[in-house]
Structures are given as C-alpha cells and as structure tokens.
Amino acid sequence: MQPFPDPYPTILSPDATMDGAFSTAMDQLSGADQDVVRLMPITIAHVRQGAGSYETSGQFETEEDYSASLLKVPIMYAAFELLRNMVNLGFQLGDVTTDEYFQGARDTFNDAIFSAVPLISNTVERDHVLPDYENLFQTQKDPTTGVHTPSFTDAFAQNLDTMLRDAHALGAAIACIHALRFGYTNGALAAGGLFREGAGTAFPLNGIWNAGDFSSWTDVVIPVTNDVTSAQATTTSDMANLYALLTEEILTGVGGFSPQMLGLLALNANNGWFNATTPPIWDPATSNVTVSHTKVGEGKLKTGQFVLSEGIIVHEQAHGADFIVVYQDLRDGSPTELTAVARLIENTIDAFLA
C-alpha cells in the first residue's frame, strides 16, 4: 500500500478565446496599470465542472516564484491526502490496537515517504521528513469490526483552520508543518503531478514546493525567479490546477475530501486582498465580481521587498460563471496596485463572457 496518490489530471487547457480575452483585458488597462501587472505571473481559468477541462490563459504561468503563505494550501491538501490513506490503512489492518494502528502506518508508509524526495531526505534529519502520526490523527474504533476510522486531532484541525484564515498566524502554520513534515507534503505533490524534476532547463525543479517551516528547522530550497532560492514556491499554473482539482472534487479521490478543503477556503473568502482595502475593491454588496474562496500570501524577498500572492475562486454574478485565478509576485501590493490586478481579472472575465 502506497502513501501517495497516482498522478492527477491536468484540468487546465490553454484556449484561444481566453487568450484573446486576456490580451484585450491587458490592452484596456492604462499605462500605469500595465506597469503593475505586465511582469506578474497569473493564471485565469474558467470553471466548467464536469467538462473535463477549463479554458485558461495568463502570463508567466510556469515561472517558479517564492509565494509566501499561498503555499499553505498544499499543506492542507497533503494533510487530507494522508488522511485518506490512513482511512484505507484502517481497513487493511483490521482489528488492531491504537498503538498497532499507528505503528502500522509507520511500517507501511515511512520507507516510501522517506525515499520519495531525495532532495529532502538527503538534506534534513529523518524526523523532519516523516509524519508525526499521533499529532495529526485521532481514531475511533468500530466496536463490531475493530477497524479504526481516523480524523484530525482537535489541535491539528484548529491549527489548520487558523493557518488558512490568517497569513500572519505563524504558530498555527508551524504546528501543522511540524506534524505533517516535509517528506510527505512534497512526496504527495510530486506523486500527484503537481511538482516535477526535469533536466536541461535553468529551473529544472518546477511546480508546487513547500519545504520550510517559517521557524527553526533547516529549509530545503529550490531555485526561483523572484528570489534566487526559496522553500515556499509555486507556479501559478500548478496552483490553479490544484484549485481546479478541488472544484472537480478529484483531489484525494472521487468521494474524497475536496468539499471539506473547499469549505476551508470558503470560510476565508472575506480575507482576500480585494476585500482588504477601504472601501473593498470588490464589495460583495455591489460588485458583479465577488470572491467565494481564497488564500493569500504575503512575504518578504531577500532584498527586503514585500510580495503578495493569492489563489481565489471568483464568481461573476451576471452570467453565474466561476473562474479560478492565481497570481503571485505582486510587488508591495498597495491599494492602487491591487486595483490594477482586479481590473485585469475583471476585464478578462468580461471579454471572455462577452
């Protein structure tokens, strides 16, 4: 029994109509607004549940960048991916004690987790690679069959919720990372096709990568475009595909935990950057475009400059249409700059739906 998923499909599909809408949207911006967004990686995808593919466009979509707290989304994903495998393990082990159940997890999963990402296992100590199962999961044993049904511990569930809602809640993020550890998070991303190791390019490591703890553990870094190296990095296309897998309810398998993960991101909907200004750029009471799900990122480059990022699901009310948008490396993120990003997104959506 393997602890990792089979590769997930790529839901995003480059589309000429969306490309045209994105180009039109860019042309409609003022020169000052274009200066804000012209080098900013962004992916915009039209949500079409059940269609098998989402029309998408953007720019610099495969650029690997430091993206700060946006990388807490894959921590959430990896936790639920491991939970799914712990559920399956319970059925495989059958009637065992709680101690035997957790030891069974170590015996069944740890070798594969440790060897999944050599860059990590060759860099940090073993305890920072392998999950801390007892701090992640509690179990309820069926009195008839003896099978263990796991769930997150109350502490982990609370820390996960806090980590996603508050980009500055480092304590909650550290607790989640210290329970899940680096090896499982990145092993799940690689196995699922959301991170790749290639050759012959300037950046052979490409995709979603999170091997830092915002604290005292040794970070495992990879090359990035905007900050030389980083332990928290992604491309907008891979993060957007992760969101698409959530909306299709494929992530962690059909019938899995995608609805719960979307629910956590929906609870955060009012905490996005476009609601943070006064007044909000997209006021839910008056705007045709509103945010239904979000996770923001905010962090400092080694140069000292702040960058913002965000992964959102946008609802366009006039047509009842939804769009996934991921952007990153927005420098400084003043209300003026955020308004420029909002205009680019709105203009693209309007041109595509016209």
Side-chain angles (χ1 to χ4, degrees), residues 223-256:
V224 295
T225 299
N226 66 344
D227 201 23
V228 186
T229 61
S230 177
Q232 292 99 14
T234 188
T235 68
T236 60
S237 60
D238 283 294
M239 189 65 72
N241 196 53
L242 187 151
Y243 272 65
L245 291 164
L246 283 174
T247 60
E248 288 296 292
E249 298 190 8
I250 293 173
L251 211 62
T252 71
V254 176

Tab-separated table of all heavy atoms in Angstrom, residues 223-256:
chain	number	residue	atom	x	y	z
A	223	PRO	N	15.655	26.679	-6.706
A	223	PRO	CA	15.811	27.962	-7.422
A	223	PRO	C	14.451	28.556	-7.784
A	223	PRO	O	13.516	27.839	-8.158
A	223	PRO	CB	16.593	27.571	-8.677
A	223	PRO	CG	17.213	26.252	-8.365
A	223	PRO	CD	16.269	25.560	-7.438
A	224	VAL	N	14.346	29.878	-7.661
A	224	VAL	CA	13.142	30.594	-8.073
A	224	VAL	C	13.538	31.833	-8.870
A	224	VAL	O	14.681	32.278	-8.807
A	224	VAL	CB	12.268	30.990	-6.863
A	224	VAL	CG1	11.716	29.772	-6.160
A	224	VAL	CG2	13.055	31.868	-5.891
A	225	THR	N	12.582	32.379	-9.583
A	225	THR	CA	12.851	33.541	-10.427
A	225	THR	C	12.938	34.832	-9.622
A	225	THR	O	13.763	35.697	-9.906
A	225	THR	CB	11.757	33.671	-11.500
A	225	THR	OG1	11.770	32.501	-12.319
A	225	THR	CG2	11.985	34.884	-12.386
A	226	ASN	N	12.070	34.980	-8.629
A	226	ASN	CA	11.970	36.276	-7.955
A	226	ASN	C	12.826	36.401	-6.699
A	226	ASN	O	12.862	37.469	-6.092
A	226	ASN	CB	10.503	36.607	-7.635
A	226	ASN	CG	9.892	35.657	-6.612
A	226	ASN	OD1	10.428	34.584	-6.331
A	226	ASN	ND2	8.746	36.050	-6.066
A	227	ASP	N	13.500	35.318	-6.274
A	227	ASP	CA	14.242	35.424	-5.015
A	227	ASP	C	15.432	34.464	-4.935
A	227	ASP	O	15.762	34.007	-3.854
A	227	ASP	CB	13.302	35.190	-3.839
A	227	ASP	CG	13.840	35.773	-2.541
A	227	ASP	OD1	14.669	36.699	-2.604
A	227	ASP	OD2	13.434	35.296	-1.475
A	228	VAL	N	16.058	34.140	-6.000
A	228	VAL	CA	17.220	33.245	-6.062
A	228	VAL	C	16.832	31.832	-5.660
A	228	VAL	O	16.817	30.922	-6.489
A	228	VAL	CB	18.406	33.754	-5.209
A	228	VAL	CG1	19.629	32.855	-5.431
A	228	VAL	CG2	18.732	35.202	-5.548
A	229	THR	N	16.552	31.611	-4.362
A	229	THR	CA	16.077	30.295	-3.901
A	229	THR	C	14.954	30.513	-2.897
A	229	THR	O	14.826	31.580	-2.297
A	229	THR	CB	17.190	29.470	-3.223
A	229	THR	OG1	17.671	30.185	-2.072
A	229	THR	CG2	18.324	29.176	-4.179
A	230	SER	N	14.138	29.468	-2.698
A	230	SER	CA	13.046	29.556	-1.735
A	230	SER	C	12.609	28.177	-1.291
A	230	SER	O	12.727	27.202	-2.048
A	230	SER	CB	11.850	30.298	-2.330
A	230	SER	OG	10.762	30.321	-1.418
A	231	ALA	N	12.073	28.101	-0.081
A	231	ALA	CA	11.483	26.864	0.421
A	231	ALA	C	9.973	26.848	0.251
A	231	ALA	O	9.328	25.836	0.533
A	231	ALA	CB	11.828	26.682	1.901
A	232	GLN	N	9.387	27.976	-0.173
A	232	GLN	CA	7.934	28.069	-0.394
A	232	GLN	C	7.705	28.675	-1.773
A	232	GLN	O	7.750	29.903	-1.927
A	232	GLN	CB	7.262	28.932	0.684
A	232	GLN	CG	7.255	28.350	2.072
A	232	GLN	CD	8.361	28.899	2.960
A	232	GLN	OE1	8.982	29.902	2.644
A	232	GLN	NE2	8.606	28.225	4.070
A	233	ALA	N	7.502	27.829	-2.761
A	233	ALA	CA	7.448	28.328	-4.139
A	233	ALA	C	6.404	27.563	-4.941
A	233	ALA	O	6.039	26.430	-4.614
A	233	ALA	CB	8.817	28.194	-4.805
A	234	THR	N	5.957	28.209	-6.021
A	234	THR	CA	4.984	27.566	-6.898
A	234	THR	C	4.988	28.249	-8.255
A	234	THR	O	5.593	29.295	-8.456
A	234	THR	CB	3.569	27.635	-6.287
A	234	THR	OG1	2.662	26.835	-7.065
A	234	THR	CG2	3.040	29.055	-6.250
A	235	THR	N	4.315	27.634	-9.192
A	235	THR	CA	3.913	28.283	-10.436
A	235	THR	C	2.428	28.592	-10.321
A	235	THR	O	1.693	27.905	-9.593
A	235	THR	CB	4.146	27.383	-11.654
A	235	THR	OG1	3.226	26.274	-11.594
A	235	THR	CG2	5.574	26.852	-11.680
A	236	THR	N	1.960	29.605	-11.037
A	236	THR	CA	0.529	29.892	-10.986
A	236	THR	C	-0.274	28.787	-11.659
A	236	THR	O	-1.389	28.483	-11.235
A	236	THR	CB	0.203	31.246	-11.634
A	236	THR	OG1	0.620	31.247	-13.005
A	236	THR	CG2	0.896	32.380	-10.886
A	237	SER	N	0.283	28.164	-12.692
A	237	SER	CA	-0.473	27.116	-13.394
A	237	SER	C	-0.686	25.894	-12.515
A	237	SER	O	-1.778	25.308	-12.503
A	237	SER	CB	0.227	26.722	-14.690
A	237	SER	OG	1.524	26.217	-14.440
A	238	ASP	N	0.332	25.492	-11.749
A	238	ASP	CA	0.162	24.315	-10.892
A	238	ASP	C	-0.785	24.599	-9.735
A	238	ASP	O	-1.604	23.750	-9.371
A	238	ASP	CB	1.520	23.852	-10.363
A	238	ASP	CG	2.322	23.106	-11.415
A	238	ASP	OD1	1.906	22.010	-11.820
A	238	ASP	OD2	3.353	23.631	-11.858
A	239	MET	N	-0.676	25.802	-9.151
A	239	MET	CA	-1.592	26.117	-8.066
A	239	MET	C	-3.018	26.227	-8.581
A	239	MET	O	-3.971	25.782	-7.922
A	239	MET	CB	-1.170	27.416	-7.376
A	239	MET	CG	-1.945	27.719	-6.100
A	239	MET	SD	-1.686	26.514	-4.758
A	239	MET	CE	-0.005	26.931	-4.258
A	240	ALA	N	-3.189	26.786	-9.769
A	240	ALA	CA	-4.530	26.868	-10.351
A	240	ALA	C	-5.069	25.469	-10.656
A	240	ALA	O	-6.273	25.214	-10.488
A	240	ALA	CB	-4.521	27.722	-11.615
A	241	ASN	N	-4.207	24.556	-11.083
A	241	ASN	CA	-4.663	23.190	-11.343
A	241	ASN	C	-5.065	22.499	-10.052
A	241	ASN	O	-6.021	21.712	-10.026
A	241	ASN	CB	-3.593	22.385	-12.066
A	241	ASN	CG	-4.151	21.113	-12.685
A	241	ASN	OD1	-5.126	21.149	-13.429
A	241	ASN	ND2	-3.543	19.973	-12.356
A	242	LEU	N	-4.357	22.784	-8.964
A	242	LEU	CA	-4.755	22.233	-7.671
A	242	LEU	C	-6.157	22.718	-7.309
A	242	LEU	O	-7.009	21.928	-6.872
A	242	LEU	CB	-3.741	22.621	-6.599
A	242	LEU	CG	-3.907	21.992	-5.206
A	242	LEU	CD1	-2.546	21.861	-4.515
A	242	LEU	CD2	-4.837	22.816	-4.324
A	243	TYR	N	-6.411	24.011	-7.500
A	243	TYR	CA	-7.755	24.537	-7.246
A	243	TYR	C	-8.781	23.860	-8.161
A	243	TYR	O	-9.910	23.565	-7.737
A	243	TYR	CB	-7.780	26.047	-7.474
A	243	TYR	CG	-7.413	26.892	-6.270
A	243	TYR	CD1	-6.140	26.847	-5.715
A	243	TYR	CD2	-8.336	27.755	-5.691
A	243	TYR	CE1	-5.802	27.634	-4.623
A	243	TYR	CE2	-8.022	28.549	-4.598
A	243	TYR	CZ	-6.740	28.479	-4.071
A	243	TYR	OH	-6.406	29.257	-2.985
A	244	ALA	N	-8.413	23.644	-9.428
A	244	ALA	CA	-9.340	23.003	-10.359
A	244	ALA	C	-9.652	21.574	-9.927
A	244	ALA	O	-10.796	21.115	-10.035
A	244	ALA	CB	-8.753	23.017	-11.774
A	245	LEU	N	-8.655	20.860	-9.444
A	245	LEU	CA	-8.886	19.506	-8.949
A	245	LEU	C	-9.818	19.511	-7.745
A	245	LEU	O	-10.594	18.571	-7.537
A	245	LEU	CB	-7.553	18.849	-8.590
A	245	LEU	CG	-6.636	18.531	-9.775
A	245	LEU	CD1	-5.217	18.247	-9.298
A	245	LEU	CD2	-7.172	17.350	-10.578
A	246	LEU	N	-9.747	20.580	-6.953
A	246	LEU	CA	-10.678	20.725	-5.836
A	246	LEU	C	-12.097	20.943	-6.338
A	246	LEU	O	-13.043	20.300	-5.874
A	246	LEU	CB	-10.262	21.892	-4.944
A	246	LEU	CG	-9.095	21.678	-3.996
A	246	LEU	CD1	-8.727	22.992	-3.311
A	246	LEU	CD2	-9.430	20.625	-2.948
A	247	THR	N	-12.272	21.878	-7.292
A	247	THR	CA	-13.621	22.176	-7.765
A	247	THR	C	-14.235	20.993	-8.501
A	247	THR	O	-15.461	20.829	-8.509
A	247	THR	CB	-13.639	23.424	-8.670
A	247	THR	OG1	-12.804	23.205	-9.802
A	247	THR	CG2	-13.162	24.651	-7.910
A	248	GLU	N	-13.404	20.159	-9.114
A	248	GLU	CA	-13.897	18.946	-9.764
A	248	GLU	C	-14.098	17.800	-8.783
A	248	GLU	O	-14.548	16.724	-9.168
A	248	GLU	CB	-12.919	18.508	-10.859
A	248	GLU	CG	-12.920	19.390	-12.090
A	248	GLU	CD	-14.260	19.359	-12.800
A	248	GLU	OE1	-14.630	18.313	-13.367
A	248	GLU	OE2	-14.950	20.399	-12.777
A	249	GLU	N	-13.731	18.019	-7.530
A	249	GLU	CA	-13.828	17.007	-6.465
A	249	GLU	C	-13.057	15.745	-6.830
A	249	GLU	O	-13.508	14.614	-6.612
A	249	GLU	CB	-15.288	16.709	-6.125
A	249	GLU	CG	-16.030	17.924	-5.596
A	249	GLU	CD	-17.403	17.620	-5.025
A	249	GLU	OE1	-17.752	16.433	-4.894
A	249	GLU	OE2	-18.135	18.589	-4.734
A	250	ILE	N	-11.856	15.959	-7.376
A	250	ILE	CA	-10.955	14.870	-7.736
A	250	ILE	C	-9.831	14.742	-6.722
A	250	ILE	O	-9.355	13.637	-6.449
A	250	ILE	CB	-10.379	15.109	-9.143
A	250	ILE	CG1	-11.477	14.999	-10.205
A	250	ILE	CG2	-9.249	14.127	-9.452
A	250	ILE	CD1	-11.012	15.383	-11.601
A	251	LEU	N	-9.389	15.844	-6.136
A	251	LEU	CA	-8.261	15.810	-5.206
A	251	LEU	C	-8.623	14.943	-3.996
A	251	LEU	O	-9.682	15.116	-3.397
A	251	LEU	CB	-7.914	17.225	-4.763
A	251	LEU	CG	-6.446	17.498	-4.434
A	251	LEU	CD1	-5.556	17.279	-5.638
A	251	LEU	CD2	-6.275	18.929	-3.923
A	252	THR	N	-7.737	14.036	-3.663
A	252	THR	CA	-7.926	12.953	-2.675
A	252	THR	C	-8.954	11.933	-3.134
A	252	THR	O	-9.459	11.152	-2.337
A	252	THR	CB	-8.284	13.458	-1.256
A	252	THR	OG1	-9.622	13.975	-1.234
A	252	THR	CG2	-7.294	14.483	-0.758
A	253	GLY	N	-9.236	11.920	-4.426
A	253	GLY	CA	-10.105	10.897	-4.986
A	253	GLY	C	-11.563	11.308	-5.022
A	253	GLY	O	-12.032	12.128	-4.227
A	254	VAL	N	-12.289	10.723	-5.976
A	254	VAL	CA	-13.732	10.948	-6.065
A	254	VAL	C	-14.380	10.439	-4.780
A	254	VAL	O	-14.110	9.337	-4.322
A	254	VAL	CB	-14.311	10.231	-7.297
A	254	VAL	CG1	-15.824	10.391	-7.339
A	254	VAL	CG2	-13.678	10.783	-8.577
A	255	GLY	N	-15.222	11.273	-4.198
A	255	GLY	CA	-15.800	10.925	-2.905
A	255	GLY	C	-14.871	11.201	-1.748
A	255	GLY	O	-15.132	10.771	-0.622
A	256	GLY	N	-13.783	11.944	-2.016
A	256	GLY	CA	-12.786	12.226	-1.000
A	256	GLY	C	-13.080	13.506	-0.234
A	256	GLY	O	-14.242	13.841	0.035
